[in-house]
Amino acid sequence: LSFAGVGAGRAQSGRSARDVAALVQSFYDQSRVFEADFQQQQFTKVHNTTERASGHVVFEKPGRMRWDYAEPNGQVFVSDGSRLVIYQPPEEGESRGQVIEQSMNEHQLPQAFSFLTGTGRLDEDFTFRLLDAARHGFRAENGYVLELRPREATPHYDRIHFFVRVVEQRGRSAGVIQRVLILDDQGNRNRFDFTDINGN
């Protein structure tokens, strides 16, 4: 399945937050492998700075994910479902990079994207509500902004916004995530915009 093309238009009304979450879950339940290019903007409030990066991400069930960051960032995040390994390229003056190994619950990305790897379910892990898509700058055709709050508190984020486009695929509606915005209670924001989206 490929959803590289994005149209512009007004969001379709009549769907509840639970309906949109179910469409998202259904699409990714049917995808064993999901991959996309991404653009990331990470805002750190205490320093009032925004870092930008891009790359390619692959999610594969059960529990696997890999984030390859393009240069000059060059980082690689790899998870096998139980551990997360982070490769940081050498900084100026260094001859070797650094490899860091963490458990899954020590990092924001595995927790926020767990449902994409089949290790989490939206309806079990979150409560939902719909936000005004136009006010959040999302004007995709049949576009929705779904706010998710974790049922169990986590130090890594306070809430997540899914920017979802509902498309018709093989006679059925599917909820495809085009942007993820992760927010914490300190005012930090981590945004991922996905393009060239493929699931199979």
Side-chain angles (χ1 to χ4, degrees):
L1 308 179
S2 177
F3 300 95
V6 178
R10 183 176 300 173
Q12 179 177 328
S13 61
R15 289 189 173 97
S16 69
R18 186 163 293 277
D19 291 338
V20 175
L23 290 173
V24 170
Q25 186 73 59
S26 176
F27 171 71
Y28 293 101
D29 280 348
Q30 296 174 45
S31 302
R32 185 183 63 84
V33 179
F34 166 80
E35 62 181 304
D37 294 331
F38 68 87
Q39 298 281 339
Q40 181 182 6
Q41 297 181 41
Q42 189 164 14
F43 172 73
T44 304
K45 186 174 181 179
V46 67
H47 301 298
N48 193 30
T49 58
T50 300
E51 296 182 7
R52 292 175 171 81
S54 62
H56 188 78
V57 62
V58 179
F59 300 93
E60 183 177 356
K61 298 174 182 176
R64 297 183 178 91
M65 69 174 70
R66 181 183 176 110
W67 299 77
D68 286 283
Y69 281 79
E71 299 293 343
N73 184 301
Q75 292 186 96
V76 180
F77 292 76
V78 179
S79 170
D80 64 0
S82 60
R83 302 292 294 177
L84 178 70
V85 177
I86 304 169
Y87 168 72
Q88 296 179 337
E91 296 183 1
E92 187 175 352
E94 297 179 344
S95 59
R96 299 174 60 183
Q98 183 178 12
V99 176
I100 302 169
E101 188 172 346
Q102 299 178 340
S103 66
M104 293 288 283
N105 61 9
E106 292 179 25
H107 200 278
Q108 186 184 78
L109 292 186
Q111 290 198 349
F113 291 96
S114 63
F115 83 99
L116 287 174
T117 64
T119 58
R121 288 196 58 84
L122 297 180
D123 56 353
E124 295 176 359
D125 298 337
F126 299 95
T127 60
F128 327 109
R129 70 173 179 143
L130 286 175
L131 304 180
D132 187 316
R135 288 185 61 184
H136 285 77
F138 190 54
R139 301 184 183 279
E141 183 179 0
N142 293 330
Y144 297 85
V145 179
L146 183 69
E147 181 180 83
L148 302 93
R149 290 185 180 266
R151 294 184 184 274
E152 294 186 10
T154 169
H156 298 299
Y157 58 86
D158 177 63
R159 61 198 186 279
I160 303 173
H161 293 171
F162 283 173
F163 292 70
V164 180
R165 184 183 175 205
V166 176
V167 301
E168 295 300 318
Q169 179 70 24
R170 297 172 185 169
R172 300 179 60 184
S173 296
V176 181
I177 297 173
Q178 295 184 201
R179 179 185 301 161
V180 173
L181 178 62
I182 306 170
L183 305 105
D184 67 19
D185 57 7
Q186 304 298 313
N188 302 309
R189 301 189 300 271
N190 199 2
R191 170 177 157 176
F192 296 86
D193 288 275
F194 299 107
T195 56
D196 292 331
I197 300 168
N198 286 280
N200 57 68

